[in-house]
Amino acid sequence: MAITPIFRALITGRGRISFENRSDRAKLIRHLDSLRGKGVEITVRRVRSQRSLQANRYYFGVVVALLAEEFGYDKQEMHEVLAMNFLRIEDCPITGVPRRKHTPACDTVEFAEYVDACIRLGAEHGVIIPTPDAVEVGS
């Protein structure tokens, strides 16, 4: 199994690359050298911030748990219901099966908006969900 390294950098003026870690430049050069004579694909994409473990614990341990209790689902079922409601994407063009975006694919802003939508749904049904700073969720 080939491992493809990821090098994090900042694009500065005129398309120049400034590496976050100085040793990454040397590692990139070594990696490119190992591919000499081979065709390659180059992908450059914006770094996406991933949600914290604390945000994940709040979502599953508070938001999903309280809604599941209210609506009579287990936590995994409630998570699926919420995700299908608020993270829907285009149905499969081949089978027509409904699809959704998965929460790990959400960046921090998308995830925060998703959690807010879940909290609003709870409020519409009389479920008061405490804010993250008002509860402590264990690991």
Side-chain angles (χ1 to χ4, degrees):
M1 176 172 142
I3 295 175
T4 304
I6 295 175
F7 303 95
R8 297 206 185 264
L10 178 68
I11 304 300
T12 61
R14 305 186 70 118
R16 295 190 188 277
I17 298 173
S18 174
F19 291 93
E20 289 180 10
N21 182 342
R22 290 182 178 256
S23 66
D24 275 356
R25 184 178 192 284
K27 289 177 189 174
L28 175 60
I29 291 169
R30 281 194 305 277
H31 181 66
L32 293 173
D33 220 25
S34 74
L35 298 168
R36 185 175 297 176
K38 297 179 180 164
V40 299
E41 293 180 24
I42 298 174
T43 302
V44 177
R45 67 178 163 256
R46 194 170 152 255
V47 173
R48 295 171 50 125
S49 299
Q50 292 198 315
R51 69 181 184 255
S52 67
L53 292 175
Q54 183 178 357
N56 201 46
R57 284 194 300 267
Y58 171 72
Y59 168 68
F60 279 103
V62 178
V63 177
V64 172
L66 289 174
L67 293 174
E69 183 179 318
E70 175 68 20
F71 297 122
Y73 290 107
D74 68 31
K75 286 205 277 190
Q76 187 57 42
E77 290 169 332
M78 190 75 245
H79 168 64
E80 288 299 323
V81 167
L82 294 168
M84 281 302 287
N85 191 41
F86 296 117
L87 296 175
R88 278 293 300 268
I89 57 175
E90 168 187 322
D91 291 349
C92 176
I94 298 167
T95 64
V97 171
R99 299 184 305 166
R100 67 172 178 90
K101 186 173 189 173
H102 292 271
T103 55
C106 296
D107 64 23
T108 53
V109 172
E110 292 169 320
F111 188 71
E113 290 170 351
Y114 168 67
V115 171
D116 287 345
C118 296
I119 291 169
R120 282 193 305 277
L121 175 73
E124 290 168 8
H125 292 274
V127 180
I128 305 303
I129 297 175
T131 60
D133 60 343
V135 292
E136 184 175 316
V137 183
S139 52

